[in-house]
Amino acid sequence: MQQVFRRRDRTAAARRAALGAAVAAVCAISVVSGCAGIGAPPPKSGIDVAAMDPAVRPQDDMFRHVNGHWLDTTDIPADRSAFGTFDNLRDDTLAKVRAIAEPLAATPAAEGTEARKIGDLYASYLDVDRVESLGIRPLAAEMARIDALGDAETLPALIAHLQRIGVTAPFDSGVHRDNRDSTRYVLDVVQSGLGLPDRDYYLADEPRLVDVRTRYVAHVERMLALAGVAAAGAAARDIVDLETRLARAQWTKVENRDRVKRYNKTRVEALSQVAPGFDWTAWLQAVGVRDRIDDLIVSQPSFLAAFAAMAPTVPSATWKAYFKWHLVSAAAPWLPQAFVDENFAFYGTTIGGTPKNRPRWERAVVAVEGALGDAVGRLYVERYFPPANKARIDALVGNLLAAYRQSIDGLDWMGPATRAAAKAKLAKLTPKIGYPDKWRDYAALRIERDDLVGNMLRSAAVESDRDLARLGRPIDRREWHATPQTVNAYYNPEGNEIVFPAAILQPPFFDAAADDAVNYGSIGAVIGHEISHGFDDQGSRYDGDGNLHDWFTPQDHAAFVAKTARLVDQYAAYAPLPGSHVNGELTLGENIADNAGLAVAYRAYELSLGGKRAPTLDGLSGPQRFYAGFCALWRRKVREATQVRLLKIDPHAPAIYRCNGVLANQPGFYAAYDVREGDGMYLPPELRTAIW
């Protein structure tokens, strides 16, 4: 996943998610399923037969065959932009965290404890009367700080402060392992500054995006007016003009996938030559790192140069309006209902197509998880993640790694030198299962029961301070970039590690009673997916120690590029909406991981049978259940507006293609379902792609 530090809500979890995006190829909509009892007689198939549509032949459309009845009879809830297997699990996890937070809010724990902080923050979010009575006053000090902005010389300090409390600024920064020296932390400066999801929303001529731009100007005006900003209409137009200039200078999502191109180590004293016009020394001093670093990474030098040249030419009044807008936008979920409603009307409904906001308790849970993620996670693990689950996943990871080693040995396109390097990298891969060995400490975070806005801004500041404090310290190899209650999984190339939080290792995805076949097709495929990120078009640029290092021979690299080019073409032909195609280059890394992960999971499943024939359950053979279990992972419906946004920003293909597009390349699928030329799922052999 590309390196992006900006998030609309820069709480602790949002900062962590931003860093995770910087260092990890994250499977952002990943699913895992169970593997307990590998080799034991299964009491059930694990296939949700009721969700299937037997009228659709699997040979023609496996996605609808496995999920068709569910797709036809399920509506997306009014407060969701999408709904499916993953969303069900996320809803279940939210309810479990609510069961942790609500009692702590009702009966506060001892002062100063993390339990007390969880309860007080949750209570402050639900105290609607207090929020309404305060109005916009909790932002008064920050508004005054922005109003005090003078000339360009005072801009760096203001930007540094707003970045610390989680407010969008024209650029952002974060700390992660140096991509060419994984033994040290480095500061990375990245492009930012937009209120819309992507530069295309400002620049593309697509009718949907033109309409969103018009609505965005009106939204900014209404939010400024609610905050009492004078001449809100003119200010809104100036703000959007400024953001459009920033968008024009930004790199595209595809350009940002190139990790080598983005690695631009720069001496601190040379920043003024790379991006003249902005006082970088003043900004580094305000951030508090000027005397602690000699160099940093500039991810998008041309963007930084464009911003620096632009900064002194933008009128002070425009900068003030711009920062007030982003302050109010960031704080909108914590302000009176008028702000909440206007914020949701644009970002939830106009951008996401969602008619209704989520219940306040759900938003409160998300806020608590963002600010006190590990504190919640520790209680979550105690209640909901038995040690036996961790042991079972450890065993399945071992099976997948063994299958990968065999796969590497059998690759026809990889020569001996590259094969040896690939096996060396695989041997150094570190699995992290369930929860971290070391929990994060929240002693520095002050939570007040009657100060929601202050709580959230302080949370962002504490997380920013924690992030920057890593500079100059030894690498913490126990660190996680997700909480245990995160329904997700990821691969981090800088640590050469795969991470599976506890929340995703539970029913319906981790089912101890389910058949081996469906478990290998679900959790096995996802584990394989994450391992594959270490060998996709970007992850393969890192060695086993997490350093950018080209360990492919030129011949093998050329063969690899030729194979992946076929995947680009295959997925670029898919159009989930009329005239809106999948970006084959943007989704390449995830498509490689989907295809390779499933292929290796099937190899692992075959190995697990030990030469025996799998039983037939629910009328399906073992291989058929394997592929049906895989397609059930992607059972999902998405609103059109959300699909438009995802096609612009999401490195994953739409759900139907994560099933059908992948299976079209799998020899085992053709054999399991007797797929032949003329069938809808058939892809000519010369167009199929098998990488791992």
PDB file of all heavy atoms in Angstrom, residues 471-487:
ATOM      1  N   LEU A 471      12.546   8.595  16.712  1.00  0.00           N
ATOM      2  CA  LEU A 471      13.762   9.015  16.012  1.00  0.00           C
ATOM      3  C   LEU A 471      14.979   8.882  16.928  1.00  0.00           C
ATOM      4  O   LEU A 471      14.987   9.377  18.056  1.00  0.00           O
ATOM      5  CB  LEU A 471      13.624  10.460  15.538  1.00  0.00           C
ATOM      6  CG  LEU A 471      12.637  10.690  14.387  1.00  0.00           C
ATOM      7  CD1 LEU A 471      12.392  12.180  14.187  1.00  0.00           C
ATOM      8  CD2 LEU A 471      13.158  10.058  13.097  1.00  0.00           C
ATOM      9  N   GLY A 472      15.997   8.217  16.437  1.00  0.00           N
ATOM     10  CA  GLY A 472      17.223   8.041  17.213  1.00  0.00           C
ATOM     11  C   GLY A 472      17.199   6.853  18.144  1.00  0.00           C
ATOM     12  O   GLY A 472      18.230   6.527  18.756  1.00  0.00           O
ATOM     13  N   ARG A 473      16.056   6.191  18.270  1.00  0.00           N
ATOM     14  CA  ARG A 473      15.965   5.032  19.155  1.00  0.00           C
ATOM     15  C   ARG A 473      16.163   3.735  18.364  1.00  0.00           C
ATOM     16  O   ARG A 473      15.993   3.709  17.147  1.00  0.00           O
ATOM     17  CB  ARG A 473      14.604   5.007  19.856  1.00  0.00           C
ATOM     18  CG  ARG A 473      14.397   6.150  20.841  1.00  0.00           C
ATOM     19  CD  ARG A 473      13.043   6.020  21.518  1.00  0.00           C
ATOM     20  NE  ARG A 473      12.817   7.077  22.504  1.00  0.00           N
ATOM     21  CZ  ARG A 473      11.700   7.232  23.187  1.00  0.00           C
ATOM     22  NH1 ARG A 473      10.685   6.403  22.984  1.00  0.00           N
ATOM     23  NH2 ARG A 473      11.574   8.218  24.058  1.00  0.00           N
ATOM     24  N   PRO A 474      16.472   2.646  19.071  1.00  0.00           N
ATOM     25  CA  PRO A 474      16.579   1.346  18.380  1.00  0.00           C
ATOM     26  C   PRO A 474      15.228   0.941  17.797  1.00  0.00           C
ATOM     27  O   PRO A 474      14.172   1.326  18.299  1.00  0.00           O
ATOM     28  CB  PRO A 474      17.012   0.386  19.502  1.00  0.00           C
ATOM     29  CG  PRO A 474      17.579   1.263  20.567  1.00  0.00           C
ATOM     30  CD  PRO A 474      16.849   2.561  20.485  1.00  0.00           C
ATOM     31  N   ILE A 475      15.262   0.150  16.746  1.00  0.00           N
ATOM     32  CA  ILE A 475      14.038  -0.331  16.118  1.00  0.00           C
ATOM     33  C   ILE A 475      13.272  -1.232  17.090  1.00  0.00           C
ATOM     34  O   ILE A 475      13.847  -2.136  17.713  1.00  0.00           O
ATOM     35  CB  ILE A 475      14.363  -1.120  14.834  1.00  0.00           C
ATOM     36  CG1 ILE A 475      14.986  -0.192  13.788  1.00  0.00           C
ATOM     37  CG2 ILE A 475      13.106  -1.793  14.282  1.00  0.00           C
ATOM     38  CD1 ILE A 475      14.071   0.884  13.267  1.00  0.00           C
ATOM     39  N   ASP A 476      11.988  -0.964  17.241  1.00  0.00           N
ATOM     40  CA  ASP A 476      11.121  -1.796  18.069  1.00  0.00           C
ATOM     41  C   ASP A 476      10.463  -2.841  17.169  1.00  0.00           C
ATOM     42  O   ASP A 476       9.465  -2.572  16.510  1.00  0.00           O
ATOM     43  CB  ASP A 476      10.057  -0.928  18.751  1.00  0.00           C
ATOM     44  CG  ASP A 476       9.174  -1.742  19.692  1.00  0.00           C
ATOM     45  OD1 ASP A 476       9.396  -2.961  19.805  1.00  0.00           O
ATOM     46  OD2 ASP A 476       8.258  -1.150  20.301  1.00  0.00           O
ATOM     47  N   ARG A 477      11.034  -4.021  17.143  1.00  0.00           N
ATOM     48  CA  ARG A 477      10.542  -5.063  16.247  1.00  0.00           C
ATOM     49  C   ARG A 477       9.265  -5.724  16.768  1.00  0.00           C
ATOM     50  O   ARG A 477       8.673  -6.553  16.070  1.00  0.00           O
ATOM     51  CB  ARG A 477      11.632  -6.110  16.007  1.00  0.00           C
ATOM     52  CG  ARG A 477      12.878  -5.493  15.384  1.00  0.00           C
ATOM     53  CD  ARG A 477      13.866  -6.519  14.877  1.00  0.00           C
ATOM     54  NE  ARG A 477      15.040  -5.857  14.300  1.00  0.00           N
ATOM     55  CZ  ARG A 477      15.112  -5.405  13.059  1.00  0.00           C
ATOM     56  NH1 ARG A 477      14.071  -5.554  12.259  1.00  0.00           N
ATOM     57  NH2 ARG A 477      16.200  -4.810  12.611  1.00  0.00           N
ATOM     58  N   ARG A 478       8.846  -5.362  17.979  1.00  0.00           N
ATOM     59  CA  ARG A 478       7.598  -5.914  18.513  1.00  0.00           C
ATOM     60  C   ARG A 478       6.401  -5.031  18.187  1.00  0.00           C
ATOM     61  O   ARG A 478       5.266  -5.404  18.478  1.00  0.00           O
ATOM     62  CB  ARG A 478       7.718  -6.067  20.032  1.00  0.00           C
ATOM     63  CG  ARG A 478       8.796  -7.044  20.479  1.00  0.00           C
ATOM     64  CD  ARG A 478       8.918  -7.084  21.982  1.00  0.00           C
ATOM     65  NE  ARG A 478       9.347  -5.797  22.528  1.00  0.00           N
ATOM     66  CZ  ARG A 478       9.422  -5.519  23.826  1.00  0.00           C
ATOM     67  NH1 ARG A 478       9.071  -6.445  24.714  1.00  0.00           N
ATOM     68  NH2 ARG A 478       9.840  -4.348  24.242  1.00  0.00           N
ATOM     69  N   GLU A 479       6.654  -3.889  17.579  1.00  0.00           N
ATOM     70  CA  GLU A 479       5.589  -2.929  17.325  1.00  0.00           C
ATOM     71  C   GLU A 479       4.582  -3.457  16.314  1.00  0.00           C
ATOM     72  O   GLU A 479       4.928  -4.113  15.332  1.00  0.00           O
ATOM     73  CB  GLU A 479       6.189  -1.619  16.807  1.00  0.00           C
ATOM     74  CG  GLU A 479       5.161  -0.526  16.584  1.00  0.00           C
ATOM     75  CD  GLU A 479       5.808   0.763  16.100  1.00  0.00           C
ATOM     76  OE1 GLU A 479       6.824   0.675  15.373  1.00  0.00           O
ATOM     77  OE2 GLU A 479       5.307   1.840  16.437  1.00  0.00           O
ATOM     78  N   TRP A 480       3.309  -3.144  16.559  1.00  0.00           N
ATOM     79  CA  TRP A 480       2.224  -3.447  15.631  1.00  0.00           C
ATOM     80  C   TRP A 480       1.673  -2.148  15.059  1.00  0.00           C
ATOM     81  O   TRP A 480       1.684  -1.109  15.725  1.00  0.00           O
ATOM     82  CB  TRP A 480       1.096  -4.183  16.359  1.00  0.00           C
ATOM     83  CG  TRP A 480       1.327  -5.643  16.585  1.00  0.00           C
ATOM     84  CD1 TRP A 480       2.463  -6.234  17.069  1.00  0.00           C
ATOM     85  CD2 TRP A 480       0.384  -6.691  16.370  1.00  0.00           C
ATOM     86  NE1 TRP A 480       2.289  -7.584  17.151  1.00  0.00           N
ATOM     87  CE2 TRP A 480       1.010  -7.901  16.739  1.00  0.00           C
ATOM     88  CE3 TRP A 480      -0.922  -6.723  15.906  1.00  0.00           C
ATOM     89  CZ2 TRP A 480       0.369  -9.135  16.650  1.00  0.00           C
ATOM     90  CZ3 TRP A 480      -1.569  -7.946  15.821  1.00  0.00           C
ATOM     91  CH2 TRP A 480      -0.926  -9.140  16.182  1.00  0.00           C
ATOM     92  N   HIS A 481       1.149  -2.229  13.835  1.00  0.00           N
ATOM     93  CA  HIS A 481       0.497  -1.086  13.211  1.00  0.00           C
ATOM     94  C   HIS A 481      -1.009  -1.290  13.105  1.00  0.00           C
ATOM     95  O   HIS A 481      -1.678  -0.683  12.279  1.00  0.00           O
ATOM     96  CB  HIS A 481       1.099  -0.828  11.831  1.00  0.00           C
ATOM     97  CG  HIS A 481       2.574  -0.610  11.865  1.00  0.00           C
ATOM     98  ND1 HIS A 481       3.154   0.436  12.547  1.00  0.00           N
ATOM     99  CD2 HIS A 481       3.604  -1.325  11.338  1.00  0.00           C
ATOM    100  CE1 HIS A 481       4.474   0.372  12.420  1.00  0.00           C
ATOM    101  NE2 HIS A 481       4.767  -0.692  11.704  1.00  0.00           N
ATOM    102  N   ALA A 482      -1.533  -2.164  13.941  1.00  0.00           N
ATOM    103  CA  ALA A 482      -2.974  -2.396  14.032  1.00  0.00           C
ATOM    104  C   ALA A 482      -3.270  -2.858  15.449  1.00  0.00           C
ATOM    105  O   ALA A 482      -2.402  -3.428  16.130  1.00  0.00           O
ATOM    106  CB  ALA A 482      -3.428  -3.449  13.023  1.00  0.00           C
ATOM    107  N   THR A 483      -4.477  -2.621  15.909  1.00  0.00           N
ATOM    108  CA  THR A 483      -4.887  -3.089  17.232  1.00  0.00           C
ATOM    109  C   THR A 483      -5.437  -4.505  17.127  1.00  0.00           C
ATOM    110  O   THR A 483      -5.830  -4.953  16.048  1.00  0.00           O
ATOM    111  CB  THR A 483      -5.965  -2.165  17.819  1.00  0.00           C
ATOM    112  OG1 THR A 483      -7.149  -2.242  16.993  1.00  0.00           O
ATOM    113  CG2 THR A 483      -5.476  -0.730  17.875  1.00  0.00           C
ATOM    114  N   PRO A 484      -5.514  -5.238  18.246  1.00  0.00           N
ATOM    115  CA  PRO A 484      -6.047  -6.605  18.192  1.00  0.00           C
ATOM    116  C   PRO A 484      -7.488  -6.669  17.699  1.00  0.00           C
ATOM    117  O   PRO A 484      -7.902  -7.686  17.138  1.00  0.00           O
ATOM    118  CB  PRO A 484      -5.944  -7.071  19.651  1.00  0.00           C
ATOM    119  CG  PRO A 484      -4.858  -6.241  20.241  1.00  0.00           C
ATOM    120  CD  PRO A 484      -4.978  -4.907  19.580  1.00  0.00           C
ATOM    121  N   GLN A 485      -8.267  -5.608  17.913  1.00  0.00           N
ATOM    122  CA  GLN A 485      -9.674  -5.609  17.504  1.00  0.00           C
ATOM    123  C   GLN A 485      -9.868  -5.126  16.071  1.00  0.00           C
ATOM    124  O   GLN A 485     -10.992  -4.869  15.643  1.00  0.00           O
ATOM    125  CB  GLN A 485     -10.516  -4.773  18.466  1.00  0.00           C
ATOM    126  CG  GLN A 485     -10.180  -3.302  18.537  1.00  0.00           C
ATOM    127  CD  GLN A 485      -9.062  -2.975  19.526  1.00  0.00           C
ATOM    128  OE1 GLN A 485      -8.268  -3.836  19.890  1.00  0.00           O
ATOM    129  NE2 GLN A 485      -9.013  -1.737  19.965  1.00  0.00           N
ATOM    130  N   THR A 486      -8.798  -5.018  15.302  1.00  0.00           N
ATOM    131  CA  THR A 486      -8.871  -4.623  13.896  1.00  0.00           C
ATOM    132  C   THR A 486      -9.243  -5.820  13.033  1.00  0.00           C
ATOM    133  O   THR A 486      -8.600  -6.867  13.102  1.00  0.00           O
ATOM    134  CB  THR A 486      -7.517  -4.059  13.424  1.00  0.00           C
ATOM    135  OG1 THR A 486      -7.182  -2.918  14.207  1.00  0.00           O
ATOM    136  CG2 THR A 486      -7.586  -3.663  11.956  1.00  0.00           C
ATOM    137  N   VAL A 487     -10.266  -5.663  12.211  1.00  0.00           N
ATOM    138  CA  VAL A 487     -10.668  -6.727  11.290  1.00  0.00           C
ATOM    139  C   VAL A 487      -9.896  -6.524   9.997  1.00  0.00           C
ATOM    140  O   VAL A 487     -10.374  -5.921   9.038  1.00  0.00           O
ATOM    141  CB  VAL A 487     -12.190  -6.702  11.053  1.00  0.00           C
ATOM    142  CG1 VAL A 487     -12.597  -7.843  10.124  1.00  0.00           C
ATOM    143  CG2 VAL A 487     -12.930  -6.813  12.376  1.00  0.00           C
TER     144      VAL A 487
END
